[in-house]
């Protein structure tokens, strides 16, 4: 049993799925169920609302996916920059042996880095510039930044 707190900062548009750092809460792929006990919503006008029990509607729990550093830097796994990087990973890197080797090495190291340093300003500043440049270059090469669903491997 574990208890975790997740903070999502808005504004959040209706029907937009945002899960910043959600995939970084647990590193155990055997977890199949998450029980939400309480959701506190603070609106931009300062008012608050708390949802409990049957007021909470459940959806699909995202599977552990990756892009840990980019998610830490951009604040969400589902944002245009991370969609671009995920497409590059799936459509380009995964197509070569050295790309797959890079992906394996990245996923061996990045969860620990993000767990330890992902919320620190220096870590985010360190990676923001290189990631922004890579995303800009990928977009200029035609990699889309529209909503993306990861490939099942």
């Amino acid at each position: 049993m574990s208890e975790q707190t997740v903070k999502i900062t808005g504004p959040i548009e209706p029907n937009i799925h945002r899960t910043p750092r959600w995939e970084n809460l647990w590193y155990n792929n055997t977890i199949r169920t998450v029980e939400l006990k309480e959701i506190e919503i603070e609106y931009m006008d300062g008012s608050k609302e708390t949802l409990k029990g049957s007021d909470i509607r459940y959806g699909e729990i995202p599977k552990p996916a990756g892009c840990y550093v980019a998610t830490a830097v951009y604040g969400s796994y589902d944002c245009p920059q991370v969609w671009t990087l995920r497409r590059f990973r799936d459509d380009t890197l995964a197509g070569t042996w050295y790309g797959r080797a890079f992906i394996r090495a990245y996923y061996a190291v990045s969860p620990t880095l993000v767990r330890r340093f992902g919320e620190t300003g220096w870590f985010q500043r360190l990676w923001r510039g290189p990631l922004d440049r890579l995303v800009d270059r990928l977009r200029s090469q035609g990699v889309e930044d529209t909503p993306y669903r990861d490939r099942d491997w």
Side-chain angles (χ1 to χ4, degrees):
M1 300 289 285
S2 175
E3 186 172 311
Q4 295 289 333
T5 300
V6 178
K7 181 177 183 179
I8 301 174
T9 304
I12 301 171
E13 298 176 31
N15 300 317
I16 299 296
H17 181 81
R18 293 185 56 199
T19 56
R21 293 176 180 67
W22 176 263
E23 66 274 359
N24 295 333
L25 289 180
W26 298 282
Y27 294 96
N28 181 339
N29 291 335
T30 65
I31 293 174
R32 297 289 180 247
T33 304
V34 174
E35 178 184 356
L36 299 176
K37 294 186 176 191
E38 179 177 292
I39 299 175
E40 182 179 294
I41 302 169
E42 181 176 354
Y43 295 99
M44 293 176 70
D45 66 1
S47 63
K48 293 183 180 183
E49 176 180 9
T50 301
L51 303 176
K52 293 182 181 186
S54 63
D55 292 333
I56 300 172
R57 291 191 209 128
Y58 289 88
E60 180 181 329
I61 298 169
K63 65 181 180 177
C67 283
Y68 296 99
V69 173
T71 298
V73 169
Y74 294 113
S76 175
Y77 187 69
D78 286 314
C79 69
Q81 297 91 337
V82 179
W83 292 327
T84 300
L85 293 167
R86 287 162 50 198
R87 271 192 179 87
F88 173 66
R89 175 199 63 204
D90 291 351
D91 295 343
T92 303
L93 286 178
T96 65
W97 70 266
Y98 50 88
R100 290 186 299 276
F102 172 80
I103 292 168
R104 281 192 298 278
Y106 174 81
Y107 288 129
V109 173
S110 64
T112 301
L113 286 175
V114 169
R115 186 172 48 248
R116 290 188 182 158
F117 308 114
E119 302 225 2
T120 64
W122 68 264
F123 182 85
Q124 293 177 10
R125 285 188 303 275
L126 174 72
W127 290 104
R128 182 62 176 244
L131 285 175
D132 283 345
R133 288 188 293 278
L134 176 58
V135 168
D136 287 344
R137 189 171 83 237
L138 293 172
R139 286 177 178 164
S140 72
Q141 294 172 355
V143 179
E144 293 182 26
D145 64 358
T146 56
Y148 182 69
R149 183 179 174 114
D150 293 328
R151 285 190 186 169
D152 288 325
W153 295 101

